[in-house]
Amino acid sequence: MIWTTIALALLVVVGEADQSSMVPLSDIPRWCGKPYQKGFRNLPPHGVLHPPVASSDPMLFVQVKSRHSIYDSSEPTGECIVQASVSYTHGEPFNHTASIPLETLVFDIRVGDTDHLLLSATIDINARQQVFEFSFSALTPRLQPFPITLHGGPVGDSGHRNCTTNTELYYLPAKKSGSTVKIDNLRGGMLVANHNTNYTFEPFLPFGFYTSCSGYLNYSLANVLAYRDLGFNAVNPVCAFTDGDLEYLYDWLDEANLWYQYDMRGSYLNLSAVAEQIPLIEDRSAFLSWYTADEPDGWQHPLNATLSAYALLKEQDPYHPTGLVLNCDNYYFEQYSAGADYLMEDAYPIGINPIYSRPWDTICNETYGDCGCDSCVGGLQDISDRLDSYLDYQDWLGAWQKPIWAVLQAFSGEGYWDRDPTMKESWAMMLLSLNHGAKAIMSWLFPTTDPLSAAHAAFAKVATRAPVSSFLTSTQPTRIAPEGGSLLDVAYWGVEKQVMVGLSPFSYL
Ligand SMILES: *[C@@H]1O[C@H](CO)[C@@H](O)[C@H](O)[C@H]1NC(C)=O
Ligand SMILES: *[C@@H]1O[C@H](CO)[C@@H](O)[C@H](O)[C@H]1NC(C)=O
Ligand SMILES: *[C@@H]1O[C@H](CO)[C@@H](O)[C@H](O)[C@H]1NC(C)=O
Ligand SMILES: *[C@@H]1O[C@H](CO)[C@@H](O)[C@H](O)[C@H]1NC(C)=O
Ligand SMILES: *[C@@H]1O[C@H](CO)[C@@H](O)[C@H](O)[C@H]1NC(C)=O
Ligand SMILES: *[C@@H]1O[C@H](CO)[C@@H](O)[C@H](O)[C@H]1NC(C)=O
Ligand SMILES: *[C@@H]1O[C@H](CO)[C@@H](O)[C@H](O)[C@H]1NC(C)=O
């Protein structure tokens, strides 16, 4: 009897030594939804977005979007993009009489609050997105968006019910100070206006680095100019007014006309702190965009955090877009991505061990571990795969595609990354990004090594200038799958009678 008692007591002690049984499930530290610390038990992944389940009946899926994220009173006309398709995953069910071919959609687009007719038109169902122009003459510019309603249905099919689709249209009073920045919802690029453009909108492809303030930018205007003269037109200073009085630094950036993403990673969860920073930045001349969350998914910030900050920024400053970077492959994508106008990805695949986490001494698999690059294989294709995934997720959600930017690896260390990318790997990652639709390159982190700095500078001088920049900003790439294998990634940009081809290897090994 006594031996049984001792054995039971031992079992209890052994049981207590297992950390996983002492820690409530909700407190198990996770990265991208996965436990990553030794001893914590494996859990089913959560926050995973799945493709929508196809319905057995076809649906009519009609989308409408303002061509530009904002217009201002310097512009007499605007455009809407409309697309109609028969879908088994999105849209409204309709009663289709098989005898009538479903070919054309007839529709009206009206301003919701006045019922003012912006335009009436027809489009082919299942055709590409089509652009329709309208006049702003009946609208008074204002800071709040106008609600817009598309109403219409298939021509000649009397059994159907008309469908209604809503969107928003910004028609702002034009500014004659600071900057105004918009997103082209057709081509995914940006347009910027400030005193250097005489307040007319010019296409812009941001290319640069996240850059250290205390280790570089804050030293001198000369440092800012040296960075710009390497060929970079954009920067994300990794600092903010919450770090102290850095007004001089943003003055230098304005003076250099170096467009910046203003980084609130350390304060965006605190809406009072965000509200305090808006007036300090919103009227600056080289101010490109608000940057709120830095890897909110990796840090598992509250799911409503990005949207809360976004709503405040939109209300206070509709003149600039908001971006954020996602770190995970597939973790609450819908919730975190909701709080941005463009999405950045930062898969850093070079020099990782994708199946063993050195910092945490655990294995990495689909449901467990932090190997520095979520669900990566440790190759160049992780970059293009991540971009493709984010485009797919937006499709699955039936959402209008937000532009995607690439944050590329220009560092090593931190326990996960054995080595820097080579110059050739850097160029391949840039090309893969552009081939897969990225509309900006913003690498981590400047100052970097001389070879990586030189690699970025050389590419920036090509990508941000005509003719390459015109191809990149005036159309989306079309990918081609080369026959006989996956060694090369190929895409082209066609503009009028010219074509630019992007060719990148997937590996140098
Ligand atoms: C991942 O690793 C964990 C921890 O070793 C294990 O419990 C789990 O079954 C693995 N998952 C998969 C999908 O192999
Ligand atoms: C559907 O909307 C179109 C465009 O506004 C209109 O011409 C048509 O009469 C409507 N059809 C029905 C059945 O309401
Ligand atoms: C389809 O037609 C039926 C019968 O005419 C009608 O009751 C129903 O509301 C229609 N459904 C749609 C989605 O239009
Ligand atoms: C802006 O306008 C001024 C005066 O009209 C002109 O000299 C200058 O070239 C213009 N700059 C640009 C970038 O269009
Ligand atoms: C830049 O930051 C560093 C580190 O915080 C500091 O030592 C230095 O004085 C700063 N330079 C300027 C010009 O403020
Ligand atoms: C949030 O920001 C405000 C304004 O800067 C500050 O007073 C407050 O202490 C911050 N709250 C937290 C929890 O940091
Ligand atoms: C966000 O969610 C938290 C709980 O996770 C809640 O306390 C807070 O009120 C929410 N904020 C908004 C703006 O909905």
Side-chain angles (χ1 to χ4, degrees):
M1 260 342 241
I2 189 158
W3 286 110
T4 319
T5 313
I6 291 170
L8 279 173
L10 276 172
L11 269 176
V12 169
V13 171
V14 169
E16 278 181 0
D18 173 3
Q19 291 182 53
S20 62
S21 63
M22 300 193 301
V23 176
L25 280 188
S26 57
D27 289 351
I28 291 185
R30 302 182 210 210
W31 174 70
C32 296
K34 301 164 193 179
Y36 64 91
Q37 283 183 16
K38 221 176 162 55
F40 288 115
R41 90 172 89 138
N42 186 55
L43 295 168
H46 64 161
V48 177
L49 186 67
H50 297 285
V53 176
S55 106
S56 53
D57 297 319
M59 293 178 279
L60 182 61
F61 186 36
V62 179
Q63 290 173 285
V64 58
K65 189 79 177 171
S66 174
R67 164 76 191 272
H68 290 164
S69 56
I70 54 175
Y71 289 95
D72 76 20
S73 53
S74 72
E75 302 172 279
T77 59
E79 289 176 333
C80 275
I81 316 168
V82 180
Q83 186 164 36
S85 55
V86 174
S87 167
Y88 287 85
T89 50
H90 298 98
E92 293 182 25
F94 62 95
N95 285 341
H96 179 49
T97 331
S99 58
I100 303 163
L102 203 59
E103 279 175 346
T104 308
L105 182 88
V106 56
F107 62 91
D108 289 341
I109 298 180
R110 292 176 186 273
V111 180
D113 46 4
T114 58
D115 216 32
H116 168 71
L117 179 69
L118 280 184
L119 65 99
S120 293
T122 61
I123 50 165
D124 292 345
I125 293 170
N126 288 333
R128 290 160 64 101
Q129 296 170 339
Q130 214 173 310
V131 170
F132 299 92
E133 196 183 64
F134 58 85
S135 161
F136 283 117
S137 57
L139 298 188
T140 308
R142 66 182 198 196
L143 295 177
Q144 298 74 34
F146 292 90
I148 297 295
T149 300
L150 179 150
H151 185 77
V155 170
D157 190 351
S158 56
H160 75 85
R161 188 179 57 190
N162 263 356
C163 66
T164 298
T165 308
N166 300 312
T167 188
E168 284 185 338
L169 173 70
Y170 278 93
Y171 182 55
L172 303 167
K175 283 172 74 167
K176 287 290 175 215
S177 65
S179 65
T180 302
V181 178
K182 43 185 176 174
I183 284 173
D184 178 347
N185 284 314
L186 184 67
R187 289 155 181 174
M190 284 183 136
L191 297 113
V192 297
N194 69 2
H195 63 90
N196 282 294
T197 72
N198 282 346
Y199 299 98
T200 61
F201 291 98
E202 291 183 355
F204 187 67
L205 183 95
F207 203 117
F209 277 93
Y210 287 77
T211 301
S212 165
C213 295
S214 59
Y216 185 82
L217 283 180
N218 82 337
Y219 282 90
S220 60
L221 173 61
N223 270 11
V224 172
L225 295 175
Y227 170 94
R228 185 196 66 184
D229 293 343
L230 284 169
F232 306 128
N233 59 10
V235 68
N236 180 114
V238 188
C239 56
F241 274 85
T242 43
D243 300 323
D245 180 11
L246 287 167
E247 190 165 7
Y248 66 94
L249 193 156
Y250 297 96
D251 288 346
W252 289 339
L253 297 175
D254 289 337
E255 192 173 334
N257 199 38
L258 183 59
W259 290 89
Y260 45 92
Q261 185 170 254
Y262 180 71
D263 190 330
M264 295 187 287
R265 67 178 65 205
S267 59
Y268 92 96
L269 291 169
N270 178 344
L271 295 185
S272 316
V274 173
E276 282 179 4
Q277 292 169 83
I278 294 171
L280 303 176
I281 291 293
E282 66 178 338
D283 281 321
R284 292 182 160 271
S285 66
F287 169 44
L288 181 68
S289 58
W290 300 106
Y291 180 75
T292 53
D294 191 76
E295 306 183 333
D297 47 353
W299 295 107
Q300 302 193 124
H301 286 169
L303 295 179
N304 59 8
T306 65
L307 189 57
S308 299
Y310 179 80
L312 175 65
L313 290 164
K314 253 322 142 236
E315 182 197 305
Q316 301 283 309
D317 174 33
Y319 290 88
H320 298 90
T322 297
L324 56 80
V325 72
L326 295 182
N327 182 220
C328 302
D329 174 37
N330 187 345
Y331 182 68
Y332 288 108
F333 178 87
E334 179 174 12
Q335 289 82 349
Y336 290 123
S337 72
D341 296 303
Y342 59 91
L343 300 172
M344 308 169 82
E345 67 75 27
D346 70 356
Y348 302 139
I350 305 299
I352 62 162
N353 182 333
I355 55 171
Y356 169 67
S357 174
R358 285 181 288 254
W360 303 102
D361 185 25
T362 69
I363 68 157
C364 288
N365 64 22
E366 276 169 47
T367 57
Y368 206 91
D370 169 4
C371 279
C373 190
D374 186 28
S375 303
C376 291
V377 299
L380 298 172
Q381 72 270 34
D382 287 322
I383 304 295
S384 38
D385 287 351
R386 184 61 52 88
L387 290 160
D388 290 352
S389 295
Y390 287 1
L391 295 172
D392 286 347
Y393 301 159
Q394 297 192 71
D395 273 344
W396 295 354
L397 293 168
W400 199 270
Q401 290 286 350
K402 294 175 181 179
I404 310 266
W405 295 14
V407 179
L408 300 178
Q409 181 180 349
F411 69 95
S412 55
E414 296 179 35
Y416 298 104
W417 298 279
D418 264 356
R419 63 175 181 89
D420 282 348
T422 63
M423 291 176 81
K424 283 183 178 172
E425 283 171 333
S426 265
W427 287 325
M429 291 195 286
M430 292 171 199
L431 256 177
L432 285 170
S433 301
L434 299 174
N435 276 5
H436 289 255
K439 291 295 175 182
I441 305 287
M442 195 64 76
S443 295
W444 182 268
L445 174 79
F446 195 87
T448 180
T449 61
D450 288 345
L452 289 177
S453 185
H456 278 75
F459 203 100
K461 287 189 185 106
V462 174
T464 61
R465 294 174 194 176
V468 174
S469 64
S470 323
F471 282 103
L472 295 174
T473 54
S474 59
T475 184
Q476 295 281 18
T478 302
R479 300 241 321 290
I480 313 171
E483 254 178 68
S486 56
L487 290 174
L488 273 185
D489 188 77
V490 185
Y492 70 88
W493 290 257
V495 179
E496 284 160 19
K497 288 183 176 166
Q498 292 188 309
V499 69
M500 176 176 82
V501 181
L503 267 173
S504 172
F506 272 122
S507 165
Y508 285 102
L509 300 177

